[in-house]
Amino acid sequence: MDTQDFSELNRHSATSFHEQKQLIKNLLAGRMVLCRHCGQQLQAQLPVAGENSVGYIRCTQGCTDIELEAAVPKR
Ligand SMILES: [Zn+2]
């Protein structure tokens, strides 16, 4: 039975997904968000609706580098 391993995995990915959502939410609200690793301000490039572009959240050092391909709901 690997149910415990599964719940560990799910909890971990849920946490990082939640963190990403929180980051995106803050950036969209115009708040300054700092990289949790280096403390530099994060830069956000949002995907453009209808175009095949990929958005990202990055810091200048590159230790935060999140792609936003499917993270932003289409509304
Ligand atoms: Zn950083």
Side-chain angles (χ1 to χ4, degrees), residues 34-40 42 58-64:
L34 300 179
C35 175
R36 62 190 300 185
H37 300 288
C38 68
Q40 304 265 357
L42 293 176
R58 270 178 206 155
C59 75
T60 48
Q61 306 261 21
C63 40
T64 294

Side-chain angles (χ1 to χ4, degrees), residues 8-25:
E8 278 299 314
L9 187 69
N10 287 340
R11 199 178 330 169
H12 182 71
S13 52
T15 303
S16 60
F17 181 66
H18 178 76
E19 273 177 26
Q20 287 187 19
K21 270 176 69 177
Q22 200 62 36
L23 272 178
I24 294 161
K25 211 169 128 185

